[in-house]
Amino acid sequence: MVSVLEKQLALALDRRLSVFGTKAAEGSLLQDEMSLRAAAYMASEIIQPCCCMLCNKEKLAALLSGTKLCQGRPELTKKMAELIYQDLARCNGLG
């Protein structure tokens, strides 16, 4: 079951990551390391205040799969979740 907060986070991520929609639709986002990392960083900024609720890659992937950017793109979802997790860990002094 998706909480209200998760729905709000997915909506905020959709707004922030909409600039990457064309690259994701073309399938080129996974090949463009700089854009992929930029998207992950932008997403981690939104998730940072409530990262304790999304403390593992599976929860991050579940949230991301509800966004327009990652919906129906499991490889992109997995890579974004990994990058966001790494960034959040670094921000919290774990990496």
Side-chain angles (χ1 to χ4, degrees), residues 21-67:
T22 303
K23 281 188 174 243
E26 295 170 349
S28 64
L29 185 56
L30 279 170
Q31 283 71 42
D32 184 352
E33 186 73 21
M34 186 173 225
S35 292
L36 184 61
R37 288 188 177 276
Y41 176 75
M42 291 167 70
S44 69
E45 286 183 320
I46 291 172
I47 296 169
Q48 176 66 35
C50 51
C51 66
C52 60
M53 293 176 52
L54 301 163
C55 58
N56 62 45
K57 292 176 191 174
E58 292 79 23
K59 288 182 180 182
L60 286 169
L63 174 66
L64 290 169
S65 66
T67 65

Side-chain angles (χ1 to χ4, degrees), residues 9-10 13-14 16 32 39 42 44 46-47 53 55-57 69-70 74 76-77 86 90:
L9 281 172
L13 288 170
D14 277 339
R16 178 71 65 94
D32 184 352
M42 291 167 70
S44 69
I46 291 172
I47 296 169
M53 293 176 52
C55 58
N56 62 45
K57 292 176 191 174
L69 184 71
C70 294
L76 178 60
T77 302
Q86 290 170 4
R90 219 176 1 263

